[in-house]
Amino acid sequence: MPELPEVEAVRRSLEQLVVGKTIERVDVRLPRIVRTPSPEVFVQSLTGRRVEAVNRRGKYLLLTVSPFLLISHLRMEGQYRLTETDVDELPHTHVVFQFTDGTELRYRDVRQFGTMDLVRSPSEWPDGLARLGPEPFDPLLTPQLLKSRLASRTVPIKAAWLDQTVLAGVGNIYADEALFAAGIHPEKPAGKLTTLELSRLLHETREVLQKAVDAGGSSIRSYVNGYGRHGGFQISLAVYGRDGEPCVRCGTTLEKTRVAGRGTHWCPSCQRKPRTRRARAKTSREGEKDGRNSR
């Protein structure tokens, strides 16, 4: 958190709020937020530059400040907020971009996990960004392509769907929602999914992400966009955070488990748990025994 819909909402708000503004001064108060270059060079390089565009790749924000690209990863709780310079600051404000028009873009991060990198070319991109897989909405991304990429993967599909080298931007919330909508158990081995199942999962992933984008994202904890506004999709979540409640589809009590180290929400009825090899062998033996007894 934030995931693709939240980062996209931040991108859209910053596009409206800061594109065209000229940076007069930069104040880096927590040096480790800036990974490259040094905080001193970071400040010097951005001073006097104009923000030309705000884009997104996966969960990364990409601010074009020619000849540089400012790459910002919000991680768990990073936030941007545009304010007037005389507005009191909130705690945990670590980087401030002051513009020539008297406004400030403030970066706030309670957990301090967010990062910023200022680069000149793709060869300097941080490894996480350089290795990203296709965007969920990429028209070239097909179930057949996913099938070929996941064919040898034995990890649970939930783990594969969170792997940013497989699919960029999908995180814990929307992986749970998409798997539920597709009727696929989160622990099913990724390589065992059929092309039809992957087609359904890709479709539902796109559907849930688009709905979340339209709603401005989900405010589960502290997420707000550049205007300081919360998202609205959290009221539409079908399984995430609803363990112990009835399934919206069948009424079965939703459960929570851990998959790939992440809290995972699912419906035992709508998402049938895959049988293990041992369970299949036991069923086969019992069938053979019943067959002998009926002779």
Side-chain angles (χ1 to χ4, degrees), residues 25-284:
R25 184 171 64 87
V26 182
D27 185 7
V28 178
R29 300 170 187 176
L30 187 65
R32 71 168 178 268
I33 295 288
V34 178
R35 296 191 302 185
T36 55
S38 68
E40 294 76 19
V41 175
F42 181 87
V43 170
Q44 293 169 7
S45 300
L46 286 174
T47 301
R49 305 288 181 183
R50 179 175 173 270
V51 181
E52 298 174 3
V54 183
N55 294 301
R56 178 193 58 75
R57 178 77 169 93
K59 301 178 186 179
Y60 291 83
L61 286 168
L62 310 176
L63 285 77
T64 301
V65 191
S66 293
F68 303 102
L69 186 67
L70 174 56
I71 301 168
S72 175
H73 198 341
L74 303 177
R75 302 288 180 181
M76 294 292 291
E77 296 196 35
Q79 300 176 355
Y80 280 103
R81 183 74 182 275
L82 185 76
T83 68
E84 301 295 329
T85 55
D86 57 356
V87 174
D88 291 340
E89 289 184 4
L90 294 172
H92 310 291
T93 298
H94 303 309
V95 182
V96 178
F97 302 88
Q98 188 175 102
F99 298 110
T100 55
D101 66 355
T103 61
E104 292 181 345
L105 181 63
R106 299 170 179 174
Y107 177 75
R108 181 172 181 263
D109 192 341
V110 175
R111 302 287 291 275
Q112 302 180 8
F113 290 156
T115 59
M116 295 183 190
D117 294 272
L118 190 66
V119 304
R120 283 180 178 268
S121 69
S123 64
E124 300 176 301
W125 285 5
D127 187 58
L129 175 60
R131 296 176 62 244
L132 283 181
E135 293 277 322
F137 297 108
D138 187 339
L140 298 179
L141 178 62
T142 64
Q144 291 76 18
L145 177 61
L146 285 168
K147 177 68 175 173
S148 66
R149 298 187 67 181
L150 296 175
S152 61
R153 300 288 293 271
T154 59
V155 298
I157 184 58
K158 169 71 180 285
W161 226 235
L162 293 178
D163 185 343
Q164 298 301 293
T165 67
V166 173
L167 200 61
V170 177
N172 205 38
I173 297 173
Y174 301 108
D176 280 2
E177 293 296 304
L179 285 164
F180 168 74
I184 298 170
H185 193 280
E187 292 180 331
K188 184 167 184 175
K192 296 294 185 181
L193 266 69
T194 65
T195 303
L196 181 60
E197 287 175 316
L198 286 169
S199 177
R200 192 163 68 241
L201 180 55
L202 179 58
H203 170 77
E204 295 298 348
T205 298
R206 288 168 168 165
E207 284 287 303
V208 71
L209 288 176
Q210 187 59 62
K211 290 176 182 177
V213 167
D214 293 342
S218 300
S219 289
I220 303 297
R221 295 183 182 87
S222 58
Y223 159 73
V224 293
N225 64 17
Y227 289 101
R229 299 170 185 163
H230 291 85
F233 192 68
Q234 62 275 7
I235 63 174
S236 301
L237 295 173
V239 290
Y240 184 86
R242 297 190 58 242
D243 46 299
E245 299 180 25
C247 173
V248 296
R249 186 180 293 160
C250 71
T252 302
T253 300
L254 298 176
E255 296 186 8
K256 180 179 180 181
T257 187
R258 294 193 74 79
V259 177
R262 306 298 300 275
T264 299
H265 308 78
W266 61 291
C267 173
S269 179
C270 297
Q271 297 164 274
R272 296 288 183 176
K273 192 168 187 176
R275 292 191 300 168
T276 63
R277 183 178 299 177
R278 181 177 299 177
R280 290 194 298 270
K282 180 180 178 181
T283 301
S284 178

